[in-house]
Amino acid sequence: MTTSLTSVPAAAAVLPAVELDYVASCELPMPWAKFRLHAFTEPATGKEHVAITLGDVANGEPVLARIHSECLTGDALFSLRCDCGPQLEAALQKIAEEGRGALFYLRQEGRGIGLVNKIRAYQLQDAGADTVEANEALGFKPDQRNYRLCLPMLQHLKISSLRLMTNNPRKITAMEQLGLKVVERVPLVITHNPFNERYLATKAGKLGHLF
């Protein structure tokens, strides 16, 4: 049985609601702790999103949290072109160390352009474009992600206050626009390598990320 969860924040009432259906939850033993995995489906697109929690996140205290967009190449294939995989691992480790927290894994590959288009963008980057230039050359915005997907998941988990693990100020703004309180930004410092130096420089220079 699924539960329909629709987000209609007062501060963003002019935007279309994002509907997610809660499906099920289960235990998820990981190298750092035994987490809990919560599955949601997005009827409008058919995409599946998950939340990973540890401890009592519904007790009203600010929750150490990470909003992480899917990156097959970085998260699963260990690509050095980005910092996604190391950020994912670091966030889960921090949550385990504290014994409480949540990670929201959104299926928004390639900053929302999809896996195949991300590979097309990589091809353009191989020829000299940066990440922003590559997306725009393909007819996309530099970042097409929709963080409003988080609201129904947060509401389901009864989370209203966050200590957000991010280097991206736009995520903080997005959460505040949804009526959530971000009491702290927790940086995720990842070691640079020769393959992601330009990627990280573009994040900082063109997308406003803080390192």
Side-chain angles (χ1 to χ4, degrees):
M1 182 177 180
T2 62
T3 303
S4 181
L5 308 164
T6 304
S7 63
V8 192
V14 296
L15 298 176
V18 176
E19 181 182 335
L20 295 184
D21 292 334
Y22 166 72
V23 181
S25 300
C26 68
E27 290 185 350
L28 183 66
M30 303 179 83
W32 314 284
K34 184 189 289 183
F35 290 81
R36 192 152 188 86
L37 183 66
H38 311 266
F40 301 82
T41 58
E42 186 182 352
T45 64
K47 289 184 178 180
E48 300 161 333
H49 309 278
V50 297
I52 303 169
T53 62
L54 181 67
D56 182 5
V57 297
N59 64 6
E61 295 295 320
V63 174
L64 181 65
R66 165 77 179 161
I67 300 168
H68 192 92
S69 297
E70 178 182 32
C71 177
L72 176 69
T73 50
D75 297 341
L77 301 180
F78 315 107
S79 170
L80 296 177
R81 299 183 70 133
C82 65
D83 58 349
C84 302
Q87 283 191 328
L88 176 62
E89 184 171 341
L92 290 169
Q93 287 179 328
K94 285 179 180 290
I95 290 170
E97 288 167 4
E98 293 213 1
R100 178 175 177 269
L103 186 143
F104 300 91
Y105 197 88
L106 308 180
R107 306 299 295 277
Q108 301 191 116
E109 181 75 51
R111 294 182 186 150
I113 68 174
L115 178 60
V116 170
N117 282 321
K118 183 172 85 167
I119 295 171
R120 290 191 177 109
Y122 276 174
Q123 184 176 25
L124 294 174
Q125 291 166 41
D126 290 345
D130 64 30
T131 54
V132 169
E133 293 166 346
N135 273 27
E136 290 177 340
L138 293 171
F140 299 109
K141 297 177 182 178
D143 190 340
Q144 300 205 159
R145 288 174 290 183
N146 178 8
Y147 297 117
R148 298 181 71 247
L149 288 166
C150 295
L151 186 59
M153 304 167 82
L154 287 157
Q155 289 173 334
H156 177 76
L157 296 169
K158 297 180 172 59
I159 297 173
S160 60
S161 181
L162 304 171
R163 296 170 52 223
L164 194 59
M165 290 184 280
T166 186
N167 302 322
N168 184 356
R170 295 183 185 187
K171 290 183 181 179
I172 296 173
T173 300
M175 293 302 99
E176 291 175 341
Q177 288 176 342
L178 294 175
L180 298 156
K181 187 175 182 181
V182 180
V183 301
E184 180 185 2
R185 183 183 76 86
V186 181
L188 281 177
V189 181
I190 304 301
T191 302
H192 293 202
N193 68 68
F195 302 99
N196 71 12
E197 284 181 349
R198 191 183 185 200
Y199 165 85
L200 295 174
T202 302
K203 269 188 169 184
K206 292 190 175 181
L207 298 175
H209 289 221
L210 305 172
F211 294 104

